[in-house]
Amino acid sequence: MRIMVSADMEGATGVTWTDDVVPGTEPWQRFRRLFTGDVNAVLAGLFEAGASDVLVNEAHSSQRNLLLEELDPRARMLTGRHKPLSMMQGIDSGVDGVVFLGYHAGAGFDGVLSHTYLENQITGVWLDDVPASEGRLNAALAAEYGVPVLLVSGDDQACEDARDYAPEAELVPVKECVSRYAAICLPPARTAELLTAAALDSCVRAGQVERLPGRHRIEVEFDASHLAQATAVIPTVEQIGTRRVGFDAPSMTEAMKAFKVVTAIAAGAVQGIYG
């Protein structure tokens, strides 16, 4: 049984505001350990369930946040940026299941540090006309490779989102959203118990399932018109509103690669405090 863990940080135990997840800050150094603790708790359950190989894909920001020296030695870790499939690199390697750890709600929705790829320039993303978080986008990519989503952890809003895109997955809310920058948090000793138990239980669903290939459409809405204009120069991307662009792709893999380009161009078009 081979499992992949896509590990994001905003939905990790105790994380509630910007400095907790921005590399180089003092709080980030503290929450790197809590983040690594969440990953190790999931790994404990996966290996107890009989996993023979687990690849942890670092999926947050610089993608250099987890502490390798503190990681469960039975696991492997993919770290660093510029991976072709980004948060989901490794999903095409024949794994039997994927865990979404530390996930968060999407742009335009309530949730601790809610966003989709860009921290605040994107106000909404739609996949085939359905509002889409990173979790929904990544679940669609997993489905293309016949990989079931086994477990999703994050705040209660992230877990509620996952009920729709991964209805059979185990859900572990490690905190309850009060606002974008506040939450009622469970201590790490408690979240570790919950994560390990859920990971253990989730493995009964591990195993390749029917692949769901097909065309997809993604639309992205920004908080400023110039970002739509900047991204509309990308071949296949069309400006369909003052602040909105859309594009079609022959597969979810190609859709996510195009989405990466859109977000990269948009990020590069942001100018100081005016956005």
Side-chain angles (χ1 to χ4, degrees):
M1 182 168 62
R2 301 176 61 236
I3 307 296
M4 173 181 151
V5 177
S6 174
D8 206 355
M9 195 172 181
E10 286 89 354
T13 294
V15 167
T16 57
W17 77 308
T18 306
D19 281 5
D20 295 347
V21 296
V22 173
T25 66
E26 185 176 342
W28 171 73
Q29 292 288 4
R30 173 193 173 200
F31 284 99
R32 293 179 75 189
R33 287 190 160 75
L34 293 184
F35 181 30
T36 305
D38 281 4
V39 171
N40 280 336
V42 164
L43 292 173
L46 296 177
F47 284 118
E48 185 179 346
S52 58
D53 177 71
V54 181
L55 174 67
V56 179
N57 180 2
E58 256 260 39
H60 173 70
S61 186
S62 65
Q63 300 176 7
R64 300 179 185 277
N65 307 277
L66 288 172
L67 297 169
L68 180 62
E69 61 271 29
E70 296 184 12
L71 194 71
D72 187 316
R74 295 171 291 182
R76 298 179 297 134
M77 186 171 79
L78 171 58
T79 186
R81 297 185 63 192
H82 309 305
K83 297 170 286 195
L85 296 180
S86 191
M87 300 178 76
M88 294 295 281
Q89 187 66 34
I91 200 66
D92 57 350
S93 64
V95 293
D96 299 301
V98 62
V99 171
F100 293 169
L101 182 144
Y103 272 42
H104 49 82
F109 288 89
D110 290 334
V112 176
L113 297 175
S114 59
H115 68 283
T116 305
Y117 270 65
L118 300 184
E119 291 83 354
N120 56 21
Q121 285 81 34
I122 291 176
T123 58
V125 176
W126 291 262
L127 174 63
D128 302 325
D129 296 323
V130 177
S133 60
E134 292 171 12
R136 183 177 293 278
L137 294 170
N138 291 343
L141 186 57
E144 184 163 278
Y145 291 95
V147 180
V149 179
L150 304 179
L151 182 157
V152 180
S153 75
D155 72 355
D156 58 322
Q157 299 299 314
C159 290
E160 189 60 32
D161 177 42
R163 288 186 194 281
D164 189 50
Y165 69 74
E168 297 182 3
E170 297 289 326
L171 304 177
V172 183
V174 300
K175 54 199 170 192
E176 179 183 343
C177 174
V178 173
S179 74
R180 183 170 172 79
Y181 302 115
I184 299 170
C185 299
L186 295 175
R190 180 64 180 137
T191 59
E193 292 177 356
L194 296 172
L195 289 165
T196 297
L200 176 61
D201 292 343
S202 75
C203 286
V204 298
R205 294 185 51 249
Q208 288 276 308
V209 297
E210 181 181 0
R211 297 187 176 210
L212 297 176
R215 297 184 63 82
H216 292 278
R217 179 172 178 81
I218 292 180
E219 295 185 5
V220 183
E221 187 175 80
F222 299 100
D223 65 355
S225 60
H226 73 283
L227 301 182
Q229 294 162 5
T231 55
V233 304
I234 303 167
T236 76
V237 176
E238 177 187 10
Q239 186 168 356
I240 56 176
T242 303
R243 295 180 290 109
R244 190 159 172 157
V245 297
F247 59 89
D248 298 290
S251 68
M252 195 61 201
T253 298
E254 294 304 312
M256 287 304 292
K257 288 180 178 178
F259 182 63
K260 278 184 59 181
V261 176
V262 167
T263 57
I265 294 293
V270 173
Q271 298 291 319
I273 63 174
Y274 282 90

